[in-house]
Amino acid sequence: MRALITGASGFIGGRLFLDAPTDIETWGTYLDNNVRENSSRTLRVDLRDLNAVNAILKGIKPDLLIHCAGYSSVAFCENAPTAAWEMNSWFTGQLAELCVEYGIRLIFFSSDMVFDGSKGNYSETDLPQPVNFYGCTKLAAERRVQETCSDLVVIRLNLSYGKPAIGGTSFTEEVIQRVQGGKPYFLFADQFRNFMSVTNLSQCVWELAQSDWKGLLHLGGSEPTDRVTFAHKLAEHLHLDSTLLIPSQTDIASTQVSYPKNNTFDLSLAGKILKTTLLNIDQGLVLEYPA
């Protein structure tokens, strides 16, 4: 099998790129941050240049494309809607058409942000209703790829954490750097997620990549909790000063952008189709930050 990962210099794409099974010839694309690891199989490309993307697909001839690239900052998407829509939605649709043309299996990363956070424990059959523009771009992309592709996996991902393998950043790294610098870190006590180890995520994705399963799947860690509780577990694991973790409320701290409060997932389907175990918080922290 030959695979191509878009956004291989990012947090999730980088982990997938380095974790690729040895029997899969894996290539990666990047734009701003050079990928030094396995650099002979990385390509710099602006994905909005469809001619360049088309040439890459013709040259590499991948059997599988894992699409990680995109704008993931909720605030950025709110403030730059044209750029966010072009990259997250329009380009994803164009890429799906190319996958159909070349007979490529597509794995696309969507987000829990397609939900409004009003109830939590969302299953794949629950009605999406995003409350911010980032969520809108992801929902539009979901619908486009589902209309276009048949050999497709759409992964709605809850909040992932861990050490960046190549580039990008994560929630845990932001907390660690801030607290180690002796500065307070404000956390939303009323936002709940299924925090997922990025390495555990990578294990799930590569299992899906080598299967013939198709459809929409929710992925996250097995233990839903709020940001404050998670951060305290992180601080305890790494012996950080937990007094610098300051609880806050979404409605008070975030006045410009709407954030869903409870976007936890029902992971029943993932439990049925995956052999990979979805880890709880303690297991995930040991995996990402071993002693």
Side-chain angles (χ1 to χ4, degrees):
M1 180 188 289
R2 187 175 293 172
L4 175 65
I5 300 172
T6 66
S9 63
F11 176 54
I12 293 173
R15 184 73 271 162
L16 289 167
F17 185 68
L18 292 189
D19 287 352
T22 55
D23 59 343
I24 298 179
E25 181 183 317
T26 305
W27 294 73
T29 72
Y30 68 93
L31 179 57
D32 296 323
N33 300 312
N34 191 12
V35 180
R36 300 181 185 278
E37 295 80 358
N38 300 328
S39 58
S40 63
R41 288 188 179 173
T42 59
L43 300 160
R44 185 182 186 278
V45 62
D46 186 335
L47 295 174
R48 293 165 296 188
D49 183 348
L50 291 181
N51 289 330
V53 174
N54 191 41
I56 288 172
L57 295 180
K58 282 185 176 180
I60 295 176
K61 297 181 173 63
D63 306 289
L64 168 72
L65 196 152
I66 305 177
H67 183 34
C68 302
Y71 291 119
S72 58
S73 167
V74 173
F76 174 85
C77 292
E78 207 73 21
N79 293 318
T82 300
W85 186 266
E86 180 183 31
M87 187 64 209
N88 290 358
S89 302
W90 176 83
F91 169 72
T92 300
Q94 299 300 309
L95 191 61
E97 292 183 5
L98 289 172
C99 285
V100 172
E101 181 179 346
Y102 293 114
I104 301 169
R105 177 170 168 81
L106 175 61
I107 296 179
F108 165 61
F109 277 92
S110 186
S111 169
D112 65 278
M113 287 287 173
V114 300
F115 295 111
D116 64 8
S118 60
K119 74 178 191 71
N121 198 37
Y122 288 100
S123 74
E124 289 82 358
T125 58
D126 281 316
L127 182 67
Q129 192 170 355
V131 296
N132 54 51
F133 193 72
Y134 171 68
C136 290
T137 67
K138 284 298 187 180
L139 181 58
E142 278 187 20
R143 290 172 173 169
R144 182 70 186 279
V145 298
Q146 288 170 328
E147 291 169 354
T148 304
C149 297
S150 57
D151 194 359
L152 169 71
V153 178
V154 174
I155 295 173
R156 285 185 184 146
L157 178 62
N158 227 278
L159 202 156
S160 60
Y161 64 88
K163 287 184 179 180
I166 294 175
T169 188
S170 72
F171 173 58
T172 46
E173 290 298 296
E174 290 176 0
V175 173
I176 292 167
Q177 291 170 15
R178 187 88 176 181
V179 172
Q180 285 182 338
K183 299 177 181 179
Y185 192 93
F186 292 87
L187 300 130
F188 296 131
D190 56 350
Q191 284 191 10
F192 296 81
R193 298 291 188 277
N194 291 77
F195 295 81
M196 188 176 197
S197 149
V198 70
T199 304
N200 191 205
L201 169 64
S202 178
Q203 295 165 345
C204 294
V205 173
W206 283 117
E207 180 184 338
L208 288 165
Q210 296 172 90
S211 75
D212 59 2
W213 191 85
K214 305 174 183 67
L216 171 65
L217 185 66
H218 286 184
L219 282 183
S222 64
E223 182 182 358
T225 192
D226 63 273
R227 287 178 180 263
V228 175
T229 300
F230 176 86
H232 276 271
K233 281 180 173 282
L234 173 67
E236 181 180 2
H237 180 70
L238 295 179
H239 308 291
L240 302 174
D241 183 0
S242 61
T243 64
L244 293 172
L245 302 174
I246 313 299
S248 183
Q249 298 294 313
T250 303
D251 294 340
I252 297 173
S254 179
T255 58
Q256 302 300 317
V257 183
S258 296
Y259 288 89
K261 293 183 178 179
N262 188 345
N263 267 8
T264 54
F265 277 167
D266 177 347
L267 300 169
S268 301
L269 180 58
K272 291 177 182 176
I273 69 169
L274 291 172
K275 295 178 181 178
T276 302
T277 301
L278 301 179
L279 303 182
N280 64 30
I281 294 170
D282 289 334
Q283 292 169 326
L285 289 174
V286 169
L287 183 61
E288 296 300 329
Y289 301 98

